[in-house]
Amino acid sequence: MRKVQGQMPHPGVAPKGTDETAVYRLSDDSGRLLYVGIGRNPMNRWAAHADLHAWWPQVAAFEVTWYDSRGEAGAEERRALRQDDPAYNIHGTPKWGGIVSGHVRAELAVRRPCVERLAEAEG
C-alpha cells in the first residue's frame, strides 16, 4: 500500500500489467469528507466529477491510497462509504436506503391510480 496526500500533485496512475487500484477521498477546506471513489487513474475520475457534479468546486484536498488489487480497494471503498458517510456519495452509504425507498414510494404514488382504474374497469 502506498499513500499520496496533498493539494494537487499528481497522485499517480496504476502501472500497466498490474491490478493496482486507488481509493481516493476528496475533502473541502474544513476537512469535511465530500466523496470517496475508486479507480486506476484518479485524475481521470476527478475530471469526470468536475464535469458532472456541482459539488466539485468545494474540493480543496485529496488523499489517495493505492492497493495491490481492485478487490482490496473495493473492500476499502465499501467500508469508507458505510462508516465515513461522505457528503456526496449516495450508492453504498447509509443514505442509499432512504433515497431508494423514497423513489419507490414516489413511483408507487404515480402508478397506484392507474392500477386502481384498471382494477375498477376489470371489476
Side-chain angles (χ1 to χ4, degrees):
M1 174 170 61
R2 58 188 164 102
K3 192 176 267 192
V4 179
Q5 287 181 276
Q7 292 294 320
M8 275 300 144
H10 197 291
V13 176
K16 290 186 188 297
T18 73
D19 196 29
E20 281 191 32
T21 305
V23 173
Y24 56 89
R25 292 167 172 79
L26 305 173
S27 303
D28 67 12
D29 57 5
S30 70
R32 179 176 67 132
L33 182 61
L34 300 175
Y35 193 86
V36 174
I38 187 172
R40 292 178 46 83
N41 186 335
M43 293 289 281
N44 281 355
R45 295 291 301 130
W46 298 346
H49 293 313
D51 287 344
L52 296 172
H53 301 294
W55 54 260
W56 180 257
Q58 297 175 50
V59 175
F62 68 86
E63 177 181 300
V64 177
T65 304
W66 287 92
Y67 293 86
D68 292 333
S69 72
R70 185 162 187 91
E72 288 178 77
E76 172 54 24
E77 181 192 34
R78 287 187 298 278
R79 186 214 57 79
L81 292 174
R82 283 190 312 272
Q83 294 178 9
D84 301 341
D85 195 24
Y88 295 110
N89 285 90
I90 296 172
H91 191 268
T93 69
K95 298 177 272 243
W96 180 242
I99 290 167
V100 170
S101 62
H103 286 306
V104 170
R105 284 192 302 272
E107 185 67 23
L108 287 175
V110 167
R111 291 179 183 213
R112 173 167 267 155
C114 297
V115 171
E116 288 173 353
R117 284 194 305 273
L118 184 60
E120 287 172 10
E122 291 177 353

